[in-house]
Amino acid sequence: MKKIILVFTVIILLCCLVTASAACNKVQMSYDTSTDYGIYWFGEDNYDYVRSNADMDIKYFNPEKPTFVFAHGWEPDKKNSTDGLFEDFVTHKETVSKTGTSDVRDYAKLLKDQGYNVACLSWFSYANSLSNLFNYIWLSFDDGYALSVRFAMELALVLGENYDGDVKMVGHSYGSQLALATTYQLVKLQERKAFSNNHIIPTRMTLADPYFGATILINGWDKIKNNKISLTNEPLKERAPSALFADVMDYVVNKKDIAVDMYFGMSLASAAYYKYDGSDPYFEKLSKNATVVKSNGLKDKYGDTSIHNVVRDWTLLTIVDKVLMYDQNGNVAPSGWATDEQIKAMRGKCYNQVYQGFDLSKDSLTLVDRSAEKF
């Protein structure tokens, strides 16, 4: 009888410990509506947008529609912008001047017309200092959670437990790190039971000329290289951004089967941080979970250092203009308009963009046989 009581007591204690552990593991989500950084939701008219709040009109967020989320990157100045928030939703003036196109597009309005909720992860006034962006995104911001955690909580709370649409996450430059980090934090928040709705997790990540960055350009790297990622407490373990990016991508894709397409352009942004000859385990891990395009035609036409924003507009235009690309064999190739299932079928495949100019109707991609030719 004593043994039975003892076993029963142990079971009760274990149950209490498990319950306490789960309670401690759960995160209380919130967001501050008074900050200038945060998620901004676009209305139906030009220059009509609001910050996330509990009383948003349905024209800004309709729970019955799919959601398009854009993450901008480094903003060194606003010379090319009439409004900081809108710069990344109207074809960048730099692209117009470099390519000669007169096709200026309001991406936000086009996406709204196509039935999306449209949001921007906005941190413009904090994205001027290139040396601090890695810290802000991954480690800490304003002595608290990193921006990726704050954006993840805000997005999750706006969408809510009853949302049943799809979320498409698009990032440009350092915004690609923000897009991935925010998606990673969403996965982690769900694991910690902050929410349960799978529809809050993006089904797609489209990354335009992602910027990885040398550690020498990260403020205080020698001091922070063994710090921990915000909220999750995962150690950096001295991993450079390109290595961390590949590891986190591997994690979220394996956990949530997210479709990922990446469009590399300027060497200083992406191409300089990996080796493509099969010797780099981090690029192999990255490409295993995504399909990768090098913008060779744009680079040949406009120059390596001039295509960072051109690649961004090329990628966004494939989405809003519903452009499918094809390879030399007539098969569907990566583009923003390719379906999630098509992108998943291209995991591990690498492509070169072909046309030397900014005309998507003339463009195509070449599938690279990595066992026989250099990528």
Side-chain angles (χ1 to χ4, degrees), residues 77-101:
D77 57 56
K78 296 183 179 178
K79 292 180 181 178
N80 294 313
S81 175
T82 53
D83 183 300
L85 185 60
F86 274 79
E87 178 179 7
D88 285 298
F89 279 105
V90 178
T91 302
H92 200 292
K93 294 178 181 178
E94 183 180 355
T95 297
V96 173
S97 65
K98 290 185 183 301
T99 67
T101 182

Side-chain angles (χ1 to χ4, degrees), residues 21 68 95:
S21 176
F68 181 102
T95 297

Side-chain angles (χ1 to χ4, degrees), residues 18-310:
V18 170
T19 302
S21 176
C24 290
N25 198 40
K26 188 171 181 178
V27 177
Q28 186 65 41
M29 296 196 300
S30 65
Y31 66 94
D32 183 357
T33 60
S34 68
T35 64
D36 50 357
Y37 65 85
I39 303 179
Y40 285 79
W41 299 83
F42 291 80
E44 297 165 356
D45 302 316
N46 293 332
Y47 297 93
D48 178 23
Y49 56 87
V50 296
R51 174 70 199 286
S52 297
N53 65 81
D55 300 318
M56 279 193 297
D57 189 278
I58 198 169
K59 70 176 181 177
Y60 299 108
F61 174 71
N62 185 334
E64 296 182 358
K65 292 182 177 182
T67 299
F68 181 102
V69 181
F70 186 83
H72 71 82
W74 177 38
E75 298 291 333
D77 57 56
K78 296 183 179 178
K79 292 180 181 178
N80 294 313
S81 175
T82 53
D83 183 300
L85 185 60
F86 274 79
E87 178 179 7
D88 285 298
F89 279 105
V90 178
T91 302
H92 200 292
K93 294 178 181 178
E94 183 180 355
T95 297
V96 173
S97 65
K98 290 185 183 301
T99 67
T101 182
S102 59
D103 194 15
V104 177
R105 316 298 293 281
D106 185 332
Y107 300 120
K109 189 174 189 317
L110 289 167
L111 289 162
K112 290 289 289 187
D113 291 344
Q114 291 171 13
Y116 286 96
N117 299 308
V118 180
C120 180
L121 306 185
S122 179
W123 49 307
F124 286 95
S125 57
Y126 304 93
N128 292 320
S129 177
L130 185 63
S131 63
N132 287 317
L133 302 196
F134 180 87
N135 300 298
Y136 290 168
I137 290 171
W138 294 99
L139 305 181
S140 178
F141 177 75
D142 195 24
D143 296 323
Y145 284 140
L147 284 172
S148 57
V149 179
R150 298 168 191 244
F151 283 129
M153 288 183 177
E154 187 168 336
L155 184 62
L157 288 168
V158 170
L159 296 183
E161 288 289 4
N162 295 322
Y163 182 72
D164 63 357
D166 288 332
V167 177
K168 181 180 180 70
M169 184 78 76
V170 178
H172 171 236
S173 191
Y174 237 129
S176 295
Q177 289 199 46
L178 181 58
L180 176 62
T182 300
T183 300
Y184 167 72
Q185 294 293 355
L186 284 168
V187 173
K188 287 294 188 178
L189 283 166
Q190 188 188 48
E191 289 177 354
R192 296 178 69 168
K193 306 185 186 306
F195 64 86
S196 60
N197 185 2
N198 274 320
H199 288 279
I200 292 173
I201 309 293
T203 59
R204 177 75 167 271
M205 278 193 291
T206 296
L207 307 177
D209 209 6
Y211 178 83
F212 300 107
T215 55
I216 195 173
L217 296 177
I218 297 174
N219 188 28
W221 176 256
D222 285 341
K223 294 181 179 179
I224 68 170
K225 62 186 179 182
N226 286 309
N227 279 11
K228 296 179 180 180
I229 295 174
S230 185
L231 181 66
T232 71
N233 291 320
E234 179 189 353
L236 285 181
K237 296 180 180 178
E238 301 188 25
R239 287 173 293 180
S242 56
L244 176 65
F245 197 96
D247 284 343
V248 173
M249 181 77 75
D250 185 65
Y251 183 84
V252 299
V253 169
N254 279 280
K255 283 286 184 178
K256 293 297 179 180
D257 193 31
I258 299 169
V260 184
D261 46 329
M262 306 178 68
Y263 304 87
F264 288 5
M266 184 174 68
S267 294
L268 288 174
S270 52
Y273 298 100
Y274 294 108
K275 296 179 181 177
Y276 305 93
D277 59 2
S279 66
D280 185 340
Y282 288 108
F283 179 72
E284 299 309 314
K285 179 180 287 188
L286 187 72
S287 64
K288 178 189 74 173
N289 293 297
T291 181
V292 179
V293 174
K294 279 188 177 180
S295 305
N296 288 350
L298 295 176
K299 186 179 295 186
D300 291 342
K301 176 67 174 180
Y302 304 113
D304 188 353
T305 59
S306 299
I307 62 168
H308 190 49
N309 291 311
V310 177

Side-chain angles (χ1 to χ4, degrees), residues 295-363:
S295 305
N296 288 350
L298 295 176
K299 186 179 295 186
D300 291 342
K301 176 67 174 180
Y302 304 113
D304 188 353
T305 59
S306 299
I307 62 168
H308 190 49
N309 291 311
V310 177
V311 172
R312 168 189 158 273
D313 286 314
W314 187 99
T315 304
L316 284 172
L317 281 174
T318 66
I319 298 172
V320 299
D321 286 352
K322 303 181 179 181
V323 177
L324 280 179
M325 289 289 163
Y326 294 88
D327 66 18
Q328 71 271 36
N329 302 312
N331 297 319
V332 173
S335 73
W337 186 244
T339 67
D340 294 356
E341 293 307 314
Q342 287 171 328
I343 291 298
K344 289 178 186 178
M346 297 179 225
R347 283 176 182 155
K349 294 182 178 181
C350 298
Y351 296 79
N352 288 320
Q353 175 265 335
V354 174
Y355 184 66
Q356 296 183 15
F358 193 73
D359 187 341
L360 272 61
S361 67
K362 298 178 180 178
D363 217 335

